[in-house]
Amino acid sequence: GEDVEQSLFLSVREGDSSVINCTYTDSSSTYLYWYKQEPGAGLQLLTYIFSNMDMKQDQRLTVLLNKKDKHLSLRIADTQTGDSAIYFCAVMDSSYKLIFGSGTRLLVRP
Amino acid sequence: ETGVTQTPRHLVMGMTNKKSLKCEQHLGHNAMYWYKQSAKKPLELMFVYSLEERVENNSVPSRFSPECPNSSHLFLHLHTLQPEDSALYLCASSQGRGLDRETQYFGPGTRLLVL
């Protein structure tokens, strides 16, 4: 079945760019998602990309998809302290099930 | 965000208690989901309902019993739980099943502690 991997932790300085990486195994994945979870809260949908796209930009967020390497990344420009959270990569498999990574904890230092 | 609401937000229960978690979506969606989020583990999909019919049950113990009376409401009935069932239980909804209608929107979760 699908397996989704993320690094556990990222620390950046306020104002820098953050890049959170994700790899997956199922090449038939159709939609790929990024969710954000703040402490004590549920998952907030940030953005998603369809598998026939290479890049999607939405304000400070840029999603890059490398289908050949099965690699997805989320870049946050001008990272703010309010961006501190856990970021989950999720991939829809061939049976329309969302498979989540374990999440990357982003810490933004003032 | 108020698209998907969950109550209660926090719940403490003993192993012999019976309680229910409630989820309500205000998005006009037709599919609803229960997930379990435990510390240091990926999200686990528990149940999926589509048009009020259960379409997926991922080997969840029978002490968890879902109910979907209509497309806006989803319940998770709990009885004789174990301490290892302590977790954040997340509800989600999507427009439907299949490709672009699968984008899932999550509620804030119910933090459950079983003593």
Side-chain angles (χ1 to χ4, degrees):
Chain A
E2 177 78 84
D3 190 28
V4 179
E5 298 280 342
Q6 297 179 243
S7 53
L8 290 180
F9 186 73
L10 176 65
S11 178
V12 300
R13 191 171 297 173
E14 189 174 17
D16 288 350
S17 292
S18 306
V19 179
I20 302 171
N21 295 300
C22 171
T23 57
Y24 59 97
T25 55
D26 187 349
S27 58
S28 65
S29 302
T30 50
Y31 280 86
L32 303 100
Y33 300 83
W34 284 104
Y35 286 88
K36 175 185 180 183
Q37 186 176 35
E38 297 184 39
L43 273 67
Q44 173 195 352
L45 178 66
L46 283 180
T47 186
Y48 63 90
I49 189 168
F50 190 52
S51 56
N52 68 352
M53 299 168 66
D54 297 324
M55 185 183 87
K56 180 178 180 181
Q57 188 155 0
D58 183 1
Q59 299 182 326
R60 292 191 297 123
L61 305 179
T62 303
V63 179
L64 294 177
L65 175 61
N66 182 327
K67 283 190 69 177
K68 174 175 168 289
D69 294 338
K70 297 178 194 161
H71 182 267
L72 181 73
S73 67
L74 174 69
R75 179 176 178 270
I76 305 173
D78 186 26
T79 314
Q80 303 297 306
T81 53
D83 294 323
S84 293
I86 301 176
Y87 290 80
F88 290 92
C89 169
V91 176
M92 187 186 300
D93 70 10
S94 53
S95 62
Y96 306 129
K97 187 183 298 185
L98 264 190
I99 308 299
F100 286 84
S102 297
T104 299
R105 184 178 295 275
L106 174 64
L107 176 65
V108 182
R109 310 185 307 274
Chain B
E1 290 215 9
T2 57
V4 182
T5 58
Q6 290 187 243
T7 54
R9 293 294 309 276
H10 302 271
L11 178 62
V12 180
M13 61 186 289
M15 289 190 282
T16 58
N17 291 159
K18 289 184 181 181
K19 297 285 185 183
S20 296
L21 310 185
K22 178 183 176 183
C23 175
E24 184 173 1
Q25 58 93 3
H26 311 272
L27 301 168
H29 288 168
N30 292 310
M32 297 187 78
Y33 310 76
W34 278 118
Y35 287 87
K36 177 183 178 183
Q37 186 180 31
S38 305
K40 300 180 182 175
K41 291 175 73 173
L43 261 73
E44 301 172 56
L45 179 63
M46 300 175 73
F47 302 104
V48 181
Y49 276 83
S50 178
L51 296 171
E52 298 142 51
E53 281 193 33
R54 191 189 313 179
V55 296
E56 194 150 345
N57 176 349
N58 280 344
S59 303
V60 179
S62 59
R63 57 185 183 269
F64 295 91
S65 174
E67 178 191 2
C68 188
N70 55 62
S71 59
S72 299
H73 293 86
L74 184 65
F75 295 88
L76 188 62
H77 303 301
L78 316 171
H79 66 97
T80 58
L81 294 192
Q82 304 297 311
E84 60 263 29
D85 297 322
S86 298
L88 181 68
Y89 288 85
L90 291 163
C91 173
S93 71
S94 65
Q95 189 177 356
R97 298 279 284 171
L99 292 179
D100 61 337
R101 302 198 308 157
E102 277 287 336
T103 299
Q104 293 180 28
Y105 296 86
F106 284 79
T110 295
R111 174 73 60 187
L112 173 66
L113 178 61
V114 181
L115 300 176

